[in-house]
Amino acid sequence: MWARAAGRLGVIVSPTFCVGSSESNEADEGARGCERREEREIEGGRCRGSRHRRTTRRSRLAIPPSRSTPRERLPCLPIRVRVLLVTSVEWVFRIWAHFDVLGLDFRLPSPPAAEPFNAEPHRSALVASYITPVDFFYKRNHGPIPKVDDLIRYSVSISGLVNKPIQISMADIWALPKYTVTATLQCAGNRRTAMSKVRKVRGVGWGISALGTATWGGAKLCDVLELVGIPKLSSVTSLGGKHVEFVSVDKCKEENGGPYTASIPLKQAADPDADVLLAYEMNGETLNRDHGYPLRVVVPGVIGARSVKWLDRINIIEEECQGFFTQKDYKMFPPSVDWDNINWSTRRPQMDFPVQSAICTLEDVDVIKEGKARIAGYALSGGGRGIERVDVSVDGGKTWVEARRYQKDNVPYVSDGPQSDKWAWVLFEATLDIPPNAEIVAKAVDSAANVQPEKVEDIWNLRGILNTSWHRIKIQNSSCVGRSKI
């Protein structure tokens, strides 16, 4: 029935976004605002091993996104039907019918998809506001999106090398002091597609939008650890614990069906100034399922892989986490290492992300009119380091102009200023005269004087992570295009 219906329709209908596969039968939150990305071997900017495009076609129907609760994220219409045609291992047809009649909720079942849902927004959405709306925040998953509904029974265990293991409920978390931290989360594979044009890499084919900035609300991890007798600023427990491991509810194939795990040093976890959160809010609203409902970890200044969603357990351990994504992924290797000679044990797990920037208002092969054009984008660095400067060039890097940097409205940005958000990106803009067939380049310098490398070839690695090379955009002048057609 599904296949016949899909063949007859041959269209995608969904609210104002590009849709893709999600593991959940109720993945209505997952598709909003973003384009799907698949995990594949990528070469020359294209996915290998898949007969489908990496992204689905754009929506043909625009319905304003809803502002409802995590349980109810459908457009606010009396009678609603959404038809999604998604790409997966095979075409899957899904229909959600949702009727609001006297408060009743009727929903047709839908067949599950075969792959994790990974999606990023269009680059222009990133610079539309300093805080990324939830609907346009990138999605990265390693398995099916878990469903945690019973908050009364939900709890997080804290055990391991501690004197008094405990189970804490959401009520216990809510009872702790609440903090809000504005922080950018960035996937380590952001800008991987550009790296794949040098040599093939393995991973999700991200463009430049696998990141987002949100205001996270929750309890500080250092306060939670005090409940098991670990004082603030501790680097080791009395029983020898030196690392804090986070165990998720979700399961993934890389762990042979086991849970996703990650860890950070205890010294970082117990430091109040590190602002590590057990977050239950995102941009002032309850977390939705895509972003870790009901509770997730947020580790500011560190690659997104360490900010574990759908938290299940916290273990205090002597050595760093031995899970797949800590020991056999997200490590930085030199260009000389390939899959035939790799030795994962020779590198430490990646934590802080390097200084990064990208242009969001233009794309390759864009055609613009003669005269001035606004060049805008984002810049950020890990470890709480601010952005000291963003340089923009319209001649491939021969000459440079310093761009204006900003975060919040009417607040001057200072890279180490007390009013600046040290864990968050900086937006930049410059209005420049664009010559014919220009190559526009952006590079950032952080407060420790770290600068982006010029060539992606120099930092190529087999997993395609941490592409922080100069971001380049090649565009055409409309007058030159007109003459070429004559």
Side-chain angles (χ1 to χ4, degrees), residues 93-341:
F93 181 72
R94 291 209 283 250
I95 293 181
W96 281 285
H98 187 88
F99 303 93
D100 283 333
V101 181
L102 300 177
L104 299 179
D105 183 350
F106 304 96
R107 192 171 300 186
L108 295 179
S110 56
E115 295 180 349
F117 182 82
N118 298 301
E120 63 181 318
H122 189 272
R123 63 181 64 185
S124 61
L126 296 181
V127 292
S129 61
Y130 171 55
I131 300 297
T132 309
V134 174
D135 294 339
F136 290 94
F137 206 97
Y138 82 104
K139 283 85 175 174
R140 176 66 172 115
N141 299 289
H142 295 88
I145 299 173
K147 185 176 183 179
V148 181
D149 278 339
D150 191 347
L151 287 190
I152 295 177
R153 297 180 60 186
Y154 173 80
S155 65
V156 175
S157 66
I158 307 177
S159 59
L161 299 175
V162 295
N163 291 314
K164 49 177 184 179
I166 62 172
Q167 293 268 131
I168 56 174
S169 65
M170 284 304 300
D172 297 325
I173 295 291
W174 292 331
L176 293 171
K178 178 184 174 182
Y179 293 87
T180 57
V181 176
T182 299
T184 300
L185 295 186
Q186 177 180 214
C187 180
N190 191 33
R191 297 182 59 197
R192 178 179 283 126
T193 297
M195 190 173 280
S196 74
K197 296 176 182 178
V198 177
R199 287 158 56 192
K200 65 182 179 182
V201 298
R202 292 182 185 175
V204 177
W206 295 118
I208 70 168
S209 304
L211 78 171
T213 297
T215 298
W216 308 93
K220 282 196 175 182
L221 180 57
C222 59
D223 290 340
V224 176
L225 294 179
E226 283 192 319
L227 300 177
V228 294
I230 301 177
K232 290 182 173 66
L233 301 178
S234 297
S235 59
V236 59
T237 69
S238 60
L239 298 179
K242 297 179 182 179
H243 295 265
V244 179
E245 179 185 51
F246 310 113
V247 182
S248 178
V249 173
D250 73 321
K251 305 297 189 292
C252 48
K253 63 181 181 181
E254 291 87 353
E255 297 286 3
N256 297 316
Y260 182 93
T261 60
S263 68
I264 62 174
L266 176 61
K267 182 178 180 180
Q268 181 180 15
D271 184 356
D273 292 335
D275 290 330
V276 182
L277 292 184
L278 298 190
Y280 46 80
E281 287 183 0
M282 182 179 182
N283 292 348
E285 297 183 355
T286 302
L287 282 174
N288 67 28
R289 285 179 56 206
D290 278 316
H291 296 294
Y293 177 84
L295 193 66
R296 70 168 296 162
V297 182
V298 173
V299 187
V302 170
I303 64 171
R306 314 306 175 205
S307 292
V308 174
K309 297 187 282 188
W310 312 292
L311 187 61
D312 182 42
R313 302 192 303 277
I314 297 175
N315 297 324
I316 310 303
I317 54 180
E318 183 178 2
E319 303 290 338
E320 63 195 10
C321 171
Q322 296 300 301
F324 177 90
F325 294 101
T326 302
Q327 298 302 326
K328 293 189 176 182
D329 204 353
Y330 300 121
K331 294 184 176 183
M332 188 68 168
F333 286 90
S336 59
V337 173
D338 58 32
W339 293 104
D340 296 325
N341 62 12

